């Protein structure tokens, strides 16, 4: 016997392989809340427009509430033969309230239904991600404020470049997360249009009120073109794009945590909460949480790439290929949410080795730029000449195997006779970071002010 939900045209059952490839209930069951909400809004609109009776609408709403309770209590039996969440819900509704259930699908198709459900689900998922991103920002900002004056090496090419503060470094990730939140907000605003009422592709001849269902579901407006409404998956692609960029940011910090926590580098320590041991080597403390955050980025990238490949050749309107939009996206958003939780925990847990950071900040002649700036400011030399002279002085320090602030004044004067002992006032790492007080710079007073601004913003 064919599927009773759509089988009027068919006289025999599908092949078991067809059932396996066609069914989506294994992953679209995640959309059950949204499916029930959209169905309730649709039924209420049908009743108001006189398309179904108020009594049938009341039965439908009561039955849908019962189904929602059953699913949330773990008492609902999902049937793969019914393919998807929509048909599972409708079948159970028919068992609960009888023929009135068959009126619910008036003036809609599974095409506009699934597009509506997935927009609602992604909207909720974006809201959850935004909350987690705010918590992550708060953890970074609080740590930054506590270490506004903790000096550490700043790197380019992973080589010591100039001293910065640990707080300044952490605030860079706060800014990245702010952009991530902005991208998610933009994606949310664009996806917040209702496909419901677009039918299979051409709209419907029933006198429905699409604006009513849009308002009931919190959408800003109905989508303006029925073909676009059922065929569009830009809203998934855009959300996954934002997820991918956010994952890049998390992975960059995860990579730094892996590097910093190595005993060879020794800039930070993670506790037992976010590390694991080795089954063979008893001394090991592995930053596995950071490594897994780094790895999960690949899953997010994969979901985005897979869906772009799915969509790239599809003619209008709906194609079954588009069923592949949900499994990867649901997995990717779950991976990102978990990564945010793990990164927030690691940020709160990690403790900088302040002494080691300060020592490392001075390695590699990191205050050489400060010397060149001093020569430019004090001796009125062109910066390029000052840069050249500083390189010669660094070479002398390397030959003597001493840091710049320990190089004897006569050695410097042999390179440039006008250098005075005042130069030592700019050669310490503390003096270096303190001098970087331009807006956006690493000076501790800047970092404190920026951290406090962020905390106020995050509390607002």
């Amino acid at each position: 016997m064919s599927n009773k939900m759509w089988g009027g045209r068919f006289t025999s059952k599908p092949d078991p392989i067809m059932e396996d490839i066609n069914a989506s209930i294994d992953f679209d069951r995640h959309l059950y809340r949204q499916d029930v909400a959209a169905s309730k809004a649709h039924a209420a609109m049908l009743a108001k427009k006189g398309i179904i009776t108020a009594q049938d609408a009341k039965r439908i709403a009561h039955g849908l509430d019962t189904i929602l309770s059953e699913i949330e209590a773990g008492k609902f039996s999902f049937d793969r033969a019914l393919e998807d969440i929509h048909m599972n819900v409708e079948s159970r509704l028919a068992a609960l309230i009888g023929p009135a259930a068959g009126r619910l699908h008036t003036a809609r198709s599974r095409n506009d239904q699934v597009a509506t459900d997935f927009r609602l689900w992604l909207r909720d998922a974006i809201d959850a991600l935004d909350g987690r991103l705010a918590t992550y920002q708060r953890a970074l900002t609080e740590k930054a404020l506590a270490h506004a004056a903790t000096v550490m090496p700043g790197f380019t090419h992973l080589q010591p470049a100039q001293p910065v503060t640990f707080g300044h470094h952490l605030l860079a990730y706060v800014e990245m997360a702010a952009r991530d939140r902005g991208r998610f907000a933009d994606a949310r605003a664009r996806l917040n249009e209702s496909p419901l009422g677009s039918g299979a592709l051409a709209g419907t001849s029933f006198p429905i009120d699409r604006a009513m269902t849009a308002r009931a579901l919190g959408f800003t407006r109905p989508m303006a073109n029925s073909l676009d409404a059922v065929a569009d998956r830009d809203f998934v692609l855009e959300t996954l794009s934002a997820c991918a960029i956010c994952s890049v940011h998390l992975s960059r910090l995860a990579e730094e945590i892996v590097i910093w926590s190595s005993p060879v580098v020794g800039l930070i320590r993670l506790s037992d909460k976010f590390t694991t041991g080795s089954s063979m080597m008893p001394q090991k403390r592995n930053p596995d949480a950071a490594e897994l955050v780094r790895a999960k980025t690949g899953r997010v990238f994969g979901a985005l790439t897979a869906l772009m490949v799915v969509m790239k050749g599809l003619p209008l309107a709906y194609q079954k290929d588009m069923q592949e939009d949900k499994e990867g996206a649901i997995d990717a958003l779950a991976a990102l949410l978990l990564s945010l939780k793990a990164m927030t925990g690691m940020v709160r847990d990690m403790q900088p080795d302040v002494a080691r950071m300060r020592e490392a900040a001075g390695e590699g002649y990191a205050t050489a730029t400060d010397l060149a700036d001093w020569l430019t400011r004090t001796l009125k030399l062109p910066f390029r000449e000052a840069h050249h002279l500083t390189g010669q002085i660094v070479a002398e320090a390397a030959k003597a195997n001493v840091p710049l602030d320990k190089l004897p004044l006569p050695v410097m004067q042999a390179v440039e006779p006008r250098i005075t002992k005042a130069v030592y006032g700019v050669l310490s790492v503390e003096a270096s970071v303190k001098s970087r007080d331009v807006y956006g710079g690493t000076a501790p007073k800047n970092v404190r002010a920026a951290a406090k601004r962020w905390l106020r913003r995050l509390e607002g």
Side-chain angles (χ1 to χ4, degrees):
M1 182 178 179
S2 64
N3 190 315
K4 66 181 181 180
M5 292 294 171
W6 49 259
R9 174 68 175 82
F10 295 78
T11 58
S12 61
K13 291 180 66 174
D15 188 283
I17 296 299
M18 182 61 190
E19 181 177 301
D20 286 340
I21 197 171
N22 196 45
S24 60
I25 189 60
D26 294 339
F27 47 87
D28 69 18
R29 66 175 62 189
H30 288 278
L31 278 57
Y32 72 89
R33 290 189 189 90
Q34 292 76 21
D35 194 71
V36 168
S39 291
K40 288 177 71 176
H42 186 65
M45 181 274 296
L46 292 176
K48 185 169 183 181
K49 297 296 291 183
I51 299 170
I52 66 173
T53 67
Q55 189 175 19
D56 279 346
K58 186 175 180 180
R59 290 193 190 102
I60 289 168
H62 178 72
L64 290 169
D65 285 338
T66 300
I67 291 168
L68 182 62
S69 297
E70 288 177 348
I71 296 175
E72 291 185 336
K75 297 178 180 178
F76 189 93
S77 179
F78 292 98
D79 185 354
R80 294 187 84 243
L82 292 171
E83 298 183 12
D84 56 35
I85 186 61
H86 322 301
M87 295 174 76
N88 269 266
V89 169
E90 188 173 335
S91 177
R92 178 58 180 153
L93 186 64
L96 287 170
I97 69 170
R103 303 189 188 283
L104 174 59
H105 210 55
T106 305
R108 76 174 183 185
S109 161
R110 281 190 294 171
N111 294 356
D112 62 338
Q113 191 178 359
V114 69
T116 302
D117 290 358
F118 203 23
R119 283 173 184 265
L120 291 171
W121 187 89
L122 274 177
R123 193 175 69 186
D124 292 341
I126 287 171
D127 291 344
L129 282 171
D130 184 72
R132 281 292 169 186
L133 276 163
T135 302
Y136 169 61
Q137 285 181 296
R138 193 171 295 110
L140 287 164
T141 304
E142 289 169 353
K143 186 76 73 172
L145 185 59
H147 292 281
T150 299
V151 181
M152 68 172 288
F155 299 97
T156 62
H157 309 278
L158 206 56
Q159 304 298 312
Q162 292 177 291
V164 296
T165 69
F166 188 44
H168 191 60
H169 195 109
L170 295 177
L171 286 180
Y173 286 101
V174 176
E175 297 290 339
M176 293 181 208
R179 295 194 294 275
D180 292 327
R181 294 180 69 187
R183 275 181 283 271
F184 282 119
D186 289 344
R188 190 191 192 283
R190 268 184 288 278
L191 72 79
N192 203 34
E193 297 182 351
S194 176
L196 195 58
S198 297
L201 74 162
T204 178
S205 60
F206 288 93
I208 63 173
D209 185 345
R210 293 189 62 210
M212 178 182 170
T213 51
R215 284 193 302 272
L217 295 169
F219 289 115
T220 55
R221 64 185 69 84
M223 293 186 73
N225 183 286
S226 61
L227 288 167
D228 182 48
V230 299
D232 168 57
R233 290 300 181 271
D234 289 0
F235 67 99
V236 191
L237 289 170
E238 187 171 4
T239 301
L240 286 174
S241 296
C243 288
I245 297 171
C246 182
S247 295
V248 168
H249 295 155
L250 296 182
S251 186
R252 294 181 75 178
L253 180 54
E255 171 74 1
E256 292 193 317
I257 289 173
V258 170
I259 293 170
W260 292 346
S261 63
S262 168
V264 176
V265 178
L267 297 184
I268 66 165
R269 292 184 297 272
L270 288 171
S271 76
D272 295 352
K273 294 179 181 179
F274 291 95
T275 55
T276 64
S278 164
S279 62
M280 183 179 184
M281 298 168 284
Q283 84 281 8
K284 293 294 294 298
R285 180 187 292 276
N286 300 322
D288 282 7
E291 291 171 6
L292 288 167
V293 167
R294 191 174 58 185
K296 287 184 186 297
T297 302
R299 295 173 71 164
V300 179
F301 288 3
L304 172 60
T305 302
L307 185 55
M308 287 194 293
V309 172
V310 166
M311 296 301 297
K312 71 174 180 60
L314 297 188
L316 293 178
Y318 182 83
Q319 314 289 332
K320 194 69 170 184
D321 313 51
M322 292 159 64
Q323 181 171 291
E324 292 295 315
D325 63 347
K326 286 176 284 298
E327 188 170 12
I330 289 168
D331 177 77
L333 269 76
L336 180 57
L337 193 64
L338 180 58
S339 294
L340 278 167
K341 293 177 182 177
M343 288 302 302
T344 302
M346 281 185 282
V347 167
R348 287 175 173 156
D349 182 70
M350 66 181 178
Q351 294 300 322
D353 185 329
V354 175
R356 172 60 190 142
M357 278 190 170
R358 198 270 174 222
E359 178 188 11
E363 292 176 356
Y365 306 102
T367 59
T369 304
D370 298 274
L371 173 56
D373 289 347
W374 185 90
L375 292 171
T376 299
R377 262 193 325 268
T378 306
L379 303 184
K380 309 303 180 185
L381 296 175
F383 181 78
R384 284 301 170 202
E385 184 180 347
H387 183 284
H388 181 75
L389 292 173
T390 299
Q392 291 181 291
I393 293 170
V394 167
E396 293 297 326
K399 191 185 303 181
N401 197 27
V402 295
L404 280 177
D405 60 346
K406 302 298 182 187
L407 188 66
L409 182 60
V411 177
M412 292 193 215
Q413 289 173 330
V415 175
E416 170 49 68
R418 291 175 293 169
I419 295 176
T420 69
K421 64 180 181 180
V423 73
Y424 292 103
V426 303
L427 295 183
S428 71
V429 293
E430 289 81 9
S432 177
V433 296
K434 186 178 179 180
S435 71
R436 265 50 182 187
D437 59 358
V438 66
Y439 179 77
T442 191
K445 69 175 184 179
N446 286 19
V447 176
R448 291 189 191 95
K452 289 175 182 177
R453 281 196 304 271
W454 267 114
L455 288 174
R456 287 193 298 271
R457 182 173 168 184
L458 291 167
E459 289 166 4

